[in-house]
């Protein structure tokens, strides 16, 4: 999966981000009620997992973080 550096609101710095997996997309759709979540990225910094879009640094208030995989 390709990474790209983007600003993370919760880390306060540019961090590597990646697109969501199919399971993560399903979780986010269920959590938010959105029909599509293709535009979201997850921060890969240790213990962060904050979500953002390509254009919005802070799309959710309060912040939504992906849960750790089981």
């Amino acid at each position: 999966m390709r990474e790209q550096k983007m600003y993370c609101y919760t880390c306060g710095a540019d961090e590597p981000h990646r697109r969501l997996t199919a399971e993560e997309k399903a979780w986010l759709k269920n959590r938010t009620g959105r029909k599509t979540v293709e535009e979201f990225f997850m921060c890969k910094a240790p213990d962060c997992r904050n979500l953002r879009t390509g254009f919005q640094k802070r799309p959710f208030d309060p912040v939504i973080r992906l849960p750790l995989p089981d």
Side-chain angles (χ1 to χ4, degrees):
M1 213 174 275
R2 202 177 110 223
E3 293 181 6
Q4 70 187 82
K5 280 221 172 203
M6 302 171 91
Y7 182 78
C8 177
Y9 176 80
T10 57
C11 293
D14 287 339
E15 296 289 348
H17 284 68
R18 67 164 175 80
R19 293 230 178 241
L20 305 183
T21 65
E23 285 180 359
E24 292 166 343
K25 288 176 189 175
W27 178 87
L28 186 57
K29 281 181 185 179
N30 188 46
R31 171 80 162 69
T32 63
R34 291 176 179 237
K35 290 185 190 277
T36 181
V37 293
E38 297 298 320
E39 71 275 19
F40 284 92
F41 293 85
M42 182 199 78
C43 179
K44 290 186 67 181
D47 301 321
C48 185
R49 300 181 68 82
N50 183 50
L51 295 172
R52 65 159 291 162
T53 70
F55 297 107
Q56 267 189 303
K57 295 175 189 163
R58 189 176 182 180
F60 302 113
D61 187 20
V63 168
I64 295 179
R65 297 175 193 256
L66 278 176
L68 291 170
D70 291 336

